Amino acid sequence: MRKTIITCCLLAFSALAFAQELKSGPYDLPYKNTYVKNIFVAENAYRSMPSHTVPSPSFDAAKKVLPAPFWEGHQTEVDMYWHAWKIAVGNIRQPQEGSGLVSPYLDVAYNGNLFMWDDSFMMLFARYGYRLFPFQGTLDNFYAKQHQDGFICREIRADGSDCFERYDPVSTGPNLLPWAELLYYKQFGDLERLHRVFPALVAYAQWWKLNRTWPDGTYWSSGWGTGMDNMPRVPEGYNQIFSNGHMSWLDANLQQYLVNDCLMQIGFYIERWQEIEEMEEEMKFLKAWINEHMWDPATGFLYDVYADGSRSAVKGIAAFWALQTDILAKDRQDALVAHLSNPDEFARTHRVPSLSADHKKYNPNGRYWQGGVWPGVNYMVLDGLWKKGYRREAREVADNHYGNVFAVWKNTGTFWEYYAPEAVDPGFMARKDFVGWAGLPPIAEFIECILGIRSDYSAGTVEWDLRQVEAHGIERYPFGPDGVIGLKAAKRKSAADKPVITVSTNVPFTLTVLWGEGESKTVQVTKSGKIKL
């Protein structure tokens, strides 16, 4: 009898152990099926799309296709640009057979997995390589792995399996996918892609609303879920990496507002906005709630909110997601931006640290998100400052951040996962050759902030912020599906001198040139030649 009982116990234990073993693949799990299907997922063509490969280009071939910047007397900065592309091209991966991944992708240079957080930021520099390789297809793999209820795991292995169960507090986020897709559309005008990605993006946003909100309608996340692992945000007694802390998380709420705004814009472009009108109502709610509960008028900053309704006192880079939205009125926006110039907070040796320097956990070597300077969120800050008209602050932060990345590159010969805020050094235990989102400063920020060239193909515009006095510009600048633009500014004696600009182009566009102290001129460009300002 005793032997029989022992045998039964062992069999039961064995069955339990087997049941807890996660299998490879997103649906081959030992759990009961609790999916409530989302109607938009049924439209997601990526879930049934066959896998395809695209031969990886050589770097020699890439140099003949990629945008080619030039800057007289600054060849080393141009060399850094090409070095970043060389590493990136070497990080192209093909989908494994049987993985269910549908597209070649740009590896994040971390552990071989795809990360939603990293990949979304990486597409912001990779879009400049559109003519070389379909880098945006990296995001297709997330859409292909969408679950029936709209969930998309934030980290997916190369074999196609999710790293987390969907109801795990760290399972997903941050949702930057609509933001990355909209920026790509504005660069290339790929309307067909908007039609394809819209259902997956809407279903994922709806999953967030159903599964990541408190009863009051605000959003929660976790250290891993926000991508900012060890930032000291949750109250004492909660795990800062894995727990939601029973908080309303500032960045999760700002990002969901941004998600809804991007999806409404995409909806207008493809004439499907009527299907998601409820997102406008949520935006109104979030805007009012964030201003009432997360804004502290005494310090002029935005904070997480605890379960008892009190505000956190932790000032972090998450607050600057507000610059990607219209949530704050101008006076509050001014107060928020002022913190970036405060040397006791965010204006450190290397800007912008992830955690304010007046926090007790701030670490001079960064210690990950306890002060580390991260290229992804720094790009978010720079882009937001420029869009909101804080041009002086954007230039100052860009010069500092780019300059420090450049100095570390010269000293070490490579790019790093993140950087120290108090020295011209990599961050503590940062990974090297990280392109990865560290491609943002040498590529996207070099083009947009140092050379000063930005564009919006959807509006037919190119903007050139001319601050350099040496001859400089770019060749093979991609503008829309077929447009190729060359821009060259002749050498000037001072930044106040009116620039002499030569353009080569195969498409018409509107060019706005900024120079000196507030000087600007907008001209219509219809053909190649010198531009009269």
Side-chain angles (χ1 to χ4, degrees):
M1 178 69 177
R2 184 178 179 185
K3 183 177 180 181
T4 302
I5 293 173
I6 293 172
T7 301
C8 291
C9 289
L10 288 172
L11 287 171
F13 179 79
S14 177
L16 178 63
F18 176 79
Q20 296 303 314
E21 182 187 355
L22 292 180
K23 307 296 183 184
S24 177
Y27 302 115
D28 186 15
L29 300 177
Y31 311 122
K32 294 282 188 179
N33 186 340
T34 60
Y35 286 102
V36 177
K37 294 181 180 180
N38 182 292
I39 190 170
F40 282 99
V41 175
E43 288 187 62
N44 179 357
Y46 293 98
R47 296 177 75 237
S48 58
M49 186 178 291
S51 177
H52 70 280
T53 61
V54 178
S56 301
S58 69
F59 180 60
D60 287 340
K63 289 198 70 172
K64 299 174 182 177
V65 178
L66 291 168
F70 56 92
W71 187 7
E72 188 178 74
H74 293 266
Q75 185 57 43
T76 310
E77 286 88 339
V78 175
D79 291 343
M80 182 172 77
Y81 168 88
W82 287 117
H83 185 203
W85 273 122
K86 184 176 184 179
I87 296 175
V89 169
N91 283 338
I92 293 172
R93 302 288 182 263
Q94 304 295 332
Q96 288 185 18
E97 185 177 353
S99 66
L101 302 180
V102 297
S103 177
Y105 57 93
L106 190 56
D107 183 50
V108 302
Y110 187 71
N111 62 1
N113 296 347
L114 291 92
F115 287 80
M116 185 185 297
W117 169 241
D118 297 59
D119 284 323
S120 296
F121 277 124
M122 287 159 56
M123 294 306 99
L124 305 186
F125 77 79
R127 71 185 193 269
Y128 288 105
Y130 166 82
R131 299 267 163 63
L132 173 72
F133 194 83
F135 290 109
Q136 196 74 7
T138 298
L139 303 185
D140 295 353
N141 294 308
F142 291 99
Y143 310 141
K145 289 297 177 177
Q146 184 166 53
H147 292 221
Q148 301 168 57
D149 59 354
F151 170 77
I152 303 175
C153 193
R154 70 174 183 86
E155 184 181 355
I156 299 173
R157 300 182 184 92
D159 69 2
S161 59
D162 289 353
C163 287
F164 306 99
E165 198 278 331
R166 69 192 196 281
Y167 293 134
D168 189 322
V170 306
S171 68
T172 196
N175 183 8
L176 305 183
L177 297 170
W179 184 53
E181 293 289 2
L182 189 60
L183 290 177
Y184 179 79
Y185 171 74
K186 291 187 174 183
Q187 184 89 30
F188 295 107
D190 189 346
L191 199 63
E192 289 185 10
R193 182 170 179 85
L194 288 189
H195 280 284
R196 288 197 304 273
V197 302
F198 181 76
L201 296 176
V202 171
Y204 182 44
Q206 290 177 343
W207 187 93
W208 266 84
K209 187 174 182 179
L210 283 172
N211 298 283
R212 287 293 188 265
T213 53
W214 298 119
D216 65 0
T218 60
Y219 285 80
W220 59 266
S221 188
S222 61
W224 271 6
T226 64
M228 300 190 293
D229 307 13
N230 67 332
M231 187 176 284
R233 300 172 66 173
V234 299
E236 187 176 351
Y238 293 95
N239 186 284
Q240 66 184 358
I241 297 175
F242 304 128
S243 176
N244 63 28
H246 291 105
M247 294 163 34
S248 293
W249 291 66
L250 174 60
D251 40 353
N253 285 277
L254 292 171
Q255 288 161 1
Q256 191 67 16
Y257 185 96
L258 176 62
V259 163
N260 290 352
D261 183 40
C262 290
L263 287 176
M264 289 301 296
Q265 290 186 58
I266 292 172
F268 275 108
Y269 286 128
I270 65 173
E271 299 183 358
R272 295 190 66 176
W273 62 272
Q274 299 95 333
E275 300 171 52
I276 55 171
E277 283 183 285
E278 72 278 0
M279 289 186 176
E280 288 187 310
E281 293 304 311
E282 186 180 44
M283 290 171 69
K284 292 176 184 176
F285 162 73
L286 289 173
K287 186 173 186 176
W289 202 94
I290 290 167
N291 274 283
E292 181 178 352
H293 298 279
M294 293 182 153
W295 177 260
D296 177 33
T299 59
F301 206 77
L302 289 161
Y303 300 91
D304 298 318
V305 173
Y306 297 137
D308 64 1
S310 64
R311 280 187 292 266
S312 164
V314 179
K315 294 191 291 290
I317 202 164
F320 298 103
W321 280 104
L323 296 176
Q324 294 290 339
T325 75
D326 63 355
I327 283 177
L328 296 180
K330 184 64 166 62
D331 59 335
R332 291 189 172 189
Q333 202 167 259
D334 290 344
L336 177 69
V337 170
H339 288 270
L340 290 170
S341 300
N342 185 339
D344 295 326
E345 296 178 324
F346 295 100
R348 309 303 291 181
T349 299
H350 190 166
R351 301 164 74 175
V352 177
S354 51
L355 181 67
S356 177
D358 59 4
H359 192 280
K360 63 182 181 181
K361 284 281 190 178
Y362 178 83
N363 195 301
N365 65 20
R367 196 167 182 81
Y368 233 57
W369 290 92
Q370 295 178 358
V373 179
W374 294 82
V377 285
N378 252 27
Y379 181 88
M380 173 272 291
V381 172
L382 288 169
D383 183 68
L385 286 171
W386 191 262
K387 286 177 179 175
K388 292 298 183 184
Y390 297 98
R391 303 292 171 91
R392 176 181 60 81
E393 292 86 351
R395 291 170 182 135
E396 288 177 358
V397 173
D399 288 348
N400 175 277
H401 178 50
Y402 177 85
N404 277 285
V405 170
F406 179 59
V408 174
W409 176 77
K410 287 196 297 183
N411 293 340
T412 66
T414 194
F415 307 96
W416 298 83
E417 180 185 12
Y418 78 103
Y419 295 84
E422 300 296 336
V424 184
D425 287 319
F428 174 70
M429 295 182 68
R431 293 176 184 250
K432 62 187 297 188
D433 300 329
F434 204 85
V435 185
W437 56 27
L440 281 163
I443 298 174
E445 289 171 27
F446 183 49
I447 292 172
E448 298 168 19
C449 304
I450 306 304
L451 299 182
I453 301 166
R454 297 173 173 86
S455 67
D456 184 346
Y457 175 76
S458 67
T461 60
V462 176
E463 182 182 67
W464 197 355
D465 180 31
L466 271 161
R467 295 191 297 135
Q468 315 305 338
V469 295
E470 302 88 356
H472 67 288
I474 197 165
E475 298 173 351
R476 300 194 298 268
Y477 183 86
F479 187 68
D482 303 308
V484 180
I485 295 173
L487 297 167
K488 180 177 182 179
K491 183 177 180 179
R492 296 178 291 163
K493 291 182 179 179
S494 73
D497 292 345
K498 182 182 289 189
V500 175
I501 294 174
T502 304
V503 172
S504 64
T505 183
N506 62 346
V507 292
F509 62 94
T510 300
L511 175 65
T512 297
V513 181
L514 312 174
W515 76 93
E517 294 295 327
E519 297 290 331
S520 69
K521 184 68 178 289
T522 299
V523 296
Q524 300 299 317
V525 179
T526 58
K527 60 182 181 179
S528 300
K530 282 191 176 181
I531 301 300
K532 184 176 182 181
L533 298 179

